Amino acid sequence: MIAAITIGTSCNENNTTPTYSTFLTVVEGSWDIPYYLVFDDGTTAAVENHKDWTPSFTEDWKELRYIVYYTETDLVEPGYDKVVNITAYQPVAVSKLENVTDENFTGDKGLQKYTAKLDISEAFFSPARNYITMSMLIPFSDASAKHTVKLVRNLGENSIFKEHYYQDDYLWLEAYHDAGEDSDSGQAATYLSVKIDESALGIGKLETFYKGIKILHNSYNEDKVKVFTLEFQK
């Protein structure tokens, strides 16, 4: 659904510099360093060839998620762990985790319209910037169709998933999918990174107060409610 875009020089038989790829956060910087990279382990990097690429920051999003392909350099930039050159990048959709109540399931844009199914095949948590990144399979047929997935913390009483909750030491969330006008004749893999602002949500520090995260969702492949469990690394 999204493709990598090459921006660096091509490789040849004499070029033995290894190229790495990983999920990371691109953070808006200042006038002299317009952006920098924060790897999911907290390592930071300046970008030597930053003029070759301008990430699409907005007023609401001063940090973005990407799969980045890069090579490392021997340069040193004060304040950063390393300096890299970006050779390609692939954007990852981002959203913010929201608290919702029963009111969010009413009205023209309510979550009651998010009736399409999905399957979470993999997920991991990045404590460096508090992102959970999910790899998902969704029903899909039209490349021009707009799909929206929302991850929410439900504080209401009327969730379709409420009977599946039980008390434990995990943060319970719910995933909803709106497929728009698209049909379910095929399927596609996609990613979503969700920012978790503990203060805004009124929760304690994730890795201190919780063992991990459990995500309730309507399964596309198994036609039932499933719980995906993400364990925090100790």
Side-chain angles (χ1 to χ4, degrees):
M1 297 175 68
I2 49 180
I5 304 172
T6 300
I7 63 172
T9 57
S10 60
C11 295
N12 55 56
E13 293 181 357
N14 296 321
N15 188 351
T16 59
T17 303
T19 298
Y20 305 96
S21 64
T22 189
F23 286 89
L24 53 74
T25 307
V26 182
V27 182
E28 188 174 49
S30 56
W31 66 271
D32 55 336
I33 299 180
Y35 60 88
Y36 60 94
L37 312 180
V38 179
F39 292 80
D40 283 351
D41 65 358
T43 301
T44 60
V47 180
E48 182 187 16
N49 63 333
H50 63 81
K51 293 182 180 179
D52 294 335
W53 174 42
T54 303
S56 301
F57 296 109
T58 68
E59 186 173 336
D60 293 330
W61 286 100
K62 302 301 184 184
E63 54 185 56
L64 303 168
R65 292 286 287 175
Y66 280 86
I67 302 172
V68 168
Y69 302 78
Y70 66 95
T71 58
E72 297 188 347
T73 75
D74 295 327
L75 299 175
V76 174
E77 184 69 41
Y80 298 92
D81 296 307
K82 55 188 174 182
V83 179
V84 303
N85 275 303
I86 296 177
T87 61
Y89 58 91
Q90 182 174 330
V92 176
V94 292
S95 66
K96 296 177 182 178
L97 183 65
E98 302 175 20
N99 286 333
V100 299
T101 64
D102 294 338
E103 294 181 356
N104 295 92
F105 292 84
T106 62
D108 292 341
K109 297 182 179 180
L111 286 171
Q112 78 279 1
K113 296 183 178 294
Y114 285 64
T115 57
K117 298 179 180 180
L118 61 90
D119 273 289
I120 302 172
S121 54
E122 186 180 9
F124 59 91
F125 178 66
S126 167
R129 288 280 172 171
N130 266 30
Y131 278 99
I132 177 174
T133 298
M134 301 182 294
S135 173
M136 300 174 293
L137 286 175
I138 60 173
F140 175 88
S141 62
D142 183 357
S144 65
K146 181 180 179 181
H147 288 253
T148 305
V149 175
K150 285 191 176 182
L151 190 65
V152 301
R153 176 173 175 249
N154 195 345
L155 304 180
E157 297 295 331
N158 298 316
S159 164
I160 60 174
F161 299 120
K162 280 300 180 183
E163 65 181 282
H164 300 278
Y165 280 79
Y166 56 88
Q167 188 66 38
D168 59 11
D169 294 323
Y170 290 81
L171 176 66
W172 285 74
L173 306 176
E174 300 176 3
Y176 293 90
H177 174 207
D178 179 9
E181 301 297 323
D182 201 6
S183 68
D184 59 357
S185 59
Q187 67 180 20
T190 189
Y191 296 105
L192 174 67
S193 282
V194 180
K195 176 82 171 183
I196 302 179
D197 186 332
E198 297 152 335
S199 177
L201 293 167
I203 61 177
K205 185 171 177 57
L206 290 171
E207 294 182 289
T208 300
F209 290 92
Y210 301 96
K211 291 181 179 178
I213 295 172
K214 292 186 176 180
I215 305 172
L216 290 155
H217 63 283
N218 272 320
S219 171
Y220 168 55
N221 286 317
E222 297 187 36
D223 195 27
K224 66 178 184 180
V225 174
K226 291 183 64 177
V227 181
F228 182 93
T229 302
L230 186 162
E231 303 281 357
F232 289 148
Q233 299 296 320
K234 299 300 183 182

